[in-house]
Amino acid sequence: MAFPSTAARNLIGIAALLLTSLPAMAQSNAQADAHKFDPVAAFAPFDMHQAVNVYRSSNGLPGPEYWQNRADYQIHASLNADAKVPSLKGSEVITYTNKSPDKLAELWLQLDQNRYRAGSRGAYAAGKPQGGTTDGYVLDSVEIEQGGSFVPAKTLVSDTRLRVTLPSLLAAKGGQIKLRISWHFDIPGAWGGRMAWGMAKDGPVYNLAQWYPRMAVYDDIRGWDTLPYLAQEFYLEYGNFDYYVTAPSDMIIAGSGALMNPQDVLTATQRKRLAEAHDSNATVFIIKRSEIGKASSRPKQGGTLTWHFHMNDTRDVAFAASKTFAWDAARINLPDGKSALAQSVYPAESAGDAAWGRSTQYLKDSVENFSRRWFTYPWPNAINVAGIASGMEYPGIVFDGINDRGKALFWITAHEIGHSWFPMIVGFDERRNAWMDEGFNTFIDTYESDDFNHGEYGPKRDSEYAPGGGNPVDEILPVIEDPNAPVLLTRADSIIEKYRHPVTYFKSALGLRLLREEILGPDRFDPAFRRFIAAWAFKHPQPADFFRAMDSGAGEDLSWWWRGWYANNWTLDLGVDAITPVDGHRAKGTAITVGSYDKLVMPATLRVNFADGTHEDMSLPVESWIRNRDTKVFVPAGSTVLSAEVDPDHKLPDRDRSNNLLVATAS
């Protein structure tokens, strides 16, 4: 999730970090001679804080008895767009399957709309005045199926949670129950954030998310995971969704999943154009800008139409509705001859090749790239919506800004649809571990920025990653040297806005870039990372599962990396200490001493420059410092060493580069 409208604020936040960190940086430099590096601490075993068992294996993959509960939904909703305060009402039947080894006495659901109530926990956690309030969910009825009919359930609402007490225990290992819930709520205005409604030039746009009561997760880590919704995103069960949205007939609805009844809601011309788009690598208009709002663009005048969508193997669905939408689409080419459809809907003012006219191509390329590199996109559609709730992701559909254009539109499109992989396919717990979904996604975005149209928008340098436009390993330094900056293994709700992008996005993504490019190399990183994604697709991995999967899959004990970069904000300082004859005799060769001055340690390149104009690059493994603060590299006799430099290509986050290069003294 990203908010491009706050990009300037994020840049200011980074600038503030740079300024406020200067004293800390000066202090760190003054203490450089203190040699803070401790091999015993750096290379100690890393406590994963999660036991290995039959559910989660030592190799970081699901264990032989891994289980996961399931929630399947059938939802009917109606959008009331005529009232002064628009509203949504609906009813749903949830088929909940308990695959756990535990009998369940109650069920817990998430009522995210209650975040907008006055006095909600999220309102107090925000630490600022609410932009507006609603009554949240009004639950008209909550029923449980018993004996083939639905009967009223005993319930308790606690902030954004709903507890349903069961009349009898729900059986373990396959017990199933159905809930039927009817509800309605007023839709928040533009202040709603991740879901809202507001005005485009020609009419309102509705971004509908968190729009139905959703099952909380019951897992093998905590049982019922009932963290309240404080606006730090989601943790959800997987299942199949069948949903129907009734809206005024002049509206276009874009929704997660496949549109099941195009014959009811589209004209013959639009259906023909959609078919063409399925076979076209070029963008095809379904509704042209000139056709927006015209009677001929709708199959029915007046009244309402009901749009039917279906989506399998998903943890959520969302939709957008407006009478102001232009609509275009193109084929997504997936591995093994598969395909999907990239689609964009946007108001007239967003059109044009400098803006949303390229959205579908950005979307198409991103999905193809992520599928080729990491894991094949599993759903029939990928949709980009220009609307009010800008910079937010849901399975198969993302909400971006009406005014986004150029590189900003490309970067946010790639980022938001990249969330299809993290956390929509790989079901991370965003409320606890935002660094996993945001950081992992930003990581894969960096390669898409490099790849798209021969680097048209590369490298990625935005509010999410190296916002100053410079070398990421330099820009991260004021973040990790800030004594107030949280570590990556911090609960998402605890990270204030000042650090949200610098830590959760930037530091996490850079950690993966360093792991791939400088520590493991792509040949070891990529297979391990792909195996982790495939094994945990549509499941719920925890941080320890990722750490173990990379250790085992890449064949490397990375305890020192997980501790230094993830559990702490440790900094790196390598330097060339000395260039001397071996045992004082030039005839025996030259010894080059490379020291580690700070708590973080990393493998590094040492470049040795010779008098004949040549040089040799030596790869120093991390174990070079496993016993001592410094290590010696020996150059055989016969070559005259002029200088030596550690990290000559400036690839490591070395906090003090003044000691990286040493020129040999004349003998």
Side-chain angles (χ1 to χ4, degrees), residues 47-101:
D47 187 351
M48 303 282 187
H49 297 288
Q50 178 182 302
V52 171
N53 53 39
V54 294
Y55 307 133
R56 296 171 189 268
S57 292
S58 58
N59 62 4
L61 306 183
E65 296 185 26
Y66 176 83
W67 56 267
Q68 187 171 299
N69 290 354
R70 180 181 179 91
D72 298 298
Y73 296 80
Q74 186 176 79
I75 312 172
H76 294 263
S78 296
L79 173 62
N80 179 2
D82 296 329
K84 182 177 180 180
V85 179
S87 62
L88 192 75
K89 69 175 182 178
S91 65
E92 62 188 289
V93 174
I94 306 172
T95 303
Y96 184 73
T97 306
N98 177 27
K99 296 187 178 182
S100 82

Side-chain angles (χ1 to χ4, degrees), residues 575-591:
V576 181
D577 291 348
I579 302 174
T580 58
V582 175
D583 296 333
H585 301 285
R586 186 75 64 188
K588 292 185 177 182
T590 303

Side-chain angles (χ1 to χ4, degrees), residues 423-502:
M424 308 305 173
I425 295 172
V426 182
F428 292 140
D429 180 352
E430 300 175 273
R431 291 192 181 168
R432 298 181 187 275
N433 306 305
W435 65 272
M436 298 186 81
D437 81 286
E438 296 295 359
F440 283 45
N441 182 25
T442 303
F443 164 71
I444 66 174
D445 294 343
T446 62
Y447 295 102
E448 167 59 7
S449 291
D450 292 341
D451 293 345
F452 177 76
N453 198 23
H454 308 291
E456 178 181 354
Y457 297 124
K460 179 179 171 70
R461 298 289 186 268
D462 59 3
S463 64
E464 299 164 354
Y465 192 82
N471 189 331
V473 298
D474 292 334
E475 289 200 32
I476 200 63
L477 294 176
V479 179
I480 58 179
E481 292 191 332
D482 183 341
N484 297 315
V487 300
L488 284 172
L489 298 181
T490 299
R491 175 174 157 180
D493 290 315
S494 300
I495 299 177
I496 63 174
E497 185 64 27
K498 176 182 177 180
Y499 297 112
R500 192 169 64 87
H501 276 81

Side-chain angles (χ1 to χ4, degrees), residues 482-636:
D482 183 341
N484 297 315
V487 300
L488 284 172
L489 298 181
T490 299
R491 175 174 157 180
D493 290 315
S494 300
I495 299 177
I496 63 174
E497 185 64 27
K498 176 182 177 180
Y499 297 112
R500 192 169 64 87
H501 276 81
V503 174
T504 303
Y505 295 66
F506 181 19
K507 188 188 180 189
S508 178
L510 179 57
L512 292 176
R513 287 280 310 208
L514 291 170
L515 184 60
R516 182 179 191 263
E517 306 296 340
E518 308 305 322
I519 297 172
L520 295 176
D523 288 346
R524 284 202 289 163
F525 178 94
D526 288 358
F529 195 55
R530 291 184 189 121
R531 185 185 184 196
F532 171 79
I533 295 171
W536 288 103
F538 315 112
K539 297 182 177 70
H540 294 141
Q542 298 293 315
D545 298 314
F546 171 67
F547 296 147
R548 289 188 172 115
M550 296 307 295
D551 280 1
S552 181
E556 194 76 34
D557 182 355
L558 295 163
S559 295
W560 54 272
W561 183 238
W562 308 137
R563 174 180 296 101
W565 195 262
Y566 291 82
N568 294 281
N569 283 333
W570 286 358
T571 50
L572 174 77
D573 184 13
L574 300 177
V576 181
D577 291 348
I579 302 174
T580 58
V582 175
D583 296 333
H585 301 285
R586 186 75 64 188
K588 292 185 177 182
T590 303
I592 303 171
T593 305
V594 182
S596 179
Y597 293 90
D598 218 331
K599 291 183 177 181
L600 184 66
V601 65
M602 292 184 68
T605 296
L606 178 69
R607 179 166 294 167
V608 182
N609 298 295
F610 300 108
D612 63 2
T614 63
H615 73 265
E616 180 181 356
D617 283 351
M618 303 178 181
S619 296
L620 307 184
V622 71
E623 289 82 5
S624 300
W625 300 276
I626 199 168
R627 294 189 182 93
N628 300 292
R629 184 197 65 80
D630 53 37
T631 188
K632 284 184 169 55
V633 177
F634 297 97
V635 178

